Amino acid sequence: MPTPTFIILYVADPSASARFYAGILDRAPVESSSEFAMFALDTGTMLGLWARDAVKPATDPSTGGAEVGLPADSAAAVDTRHADWAKRGLPILQAPTSMDFGRTFVASDPDGHRLRVFAPAAK
């Protein structure tokens, strides 16, 4: 099975979403227009932000949702990122907590997509 290398989130305002993601990813988009923005991530994966009213074929806004996983180096790094994002005013959906897979918290972007920061549990 091929490895996915491109993630697209359907958003209300690609420019606003690009500013949001530029802030949390600490990088500028490699492509940006009124209907689309794209970020190159360190892993080689691309993150696209596409205006939901410009997507062809049209999407059904009542279905689906998305969660983007953002790894951290340690449980302490999860807590540090949580404090930074809370200070920036990101909506926090789940405070830092330890789960069976490791330390995590969940925030949301301007379109309600979930951003899960996590540090895997030691094996």
Side-chain angles (χ1 to χ4, degrees):
M1 179 169 146
T3 301
T5 59
F6 206 100
I7 299 165
I8 297 176
L9 300 178
Y10 303 140
V11 300
D13 181 346
S15 296
S17 291
R19 286 189 300 277
F20 173 83
Y21 278 96
I24 68 165
L25 296 174
D26 195 28
R27 68 187 67 216
V30 295
E31 181 180 327
S32 185
S33 72
S34 63
E35 294 185 346
F36 187 79
M38 182 169 55
F39 290 86
L41 307 178
D42 292 341
T43 60
T45 300
M46 305 301 278
L47 174 64
L49 307 168
W50 196 353
R52 73 170 55 104
D53 60 353
V55 174
K56 302 292 182 216
T59 65
D60 177 357
S62 68
T63 61
E67 182 169 296
V68 176
L70 302 160
D73 292 333
S74 66
V78 169
D79 293 344
T80 298
R81 187 166 300 159
H82 169 264
D84 176 56
W85 287 10
K87 187 171 80 174
R88 293 180 191 216
L90 273 70
I92 303 298
L93 306 178
Q94 179 186 45
T97 187
S98 296
M99 300 183 76
D100 60 343
F101 59 84
R103 185 84 171 153
T104 188
F105 79 91
V106 179
S108 71
D109 75 5
D111 293 279
H113 301 293
R114 292 175 169 220
L115 307 170
R116 180 177 299 279
V117 177
F118 66 95
K123 301 252 177 183

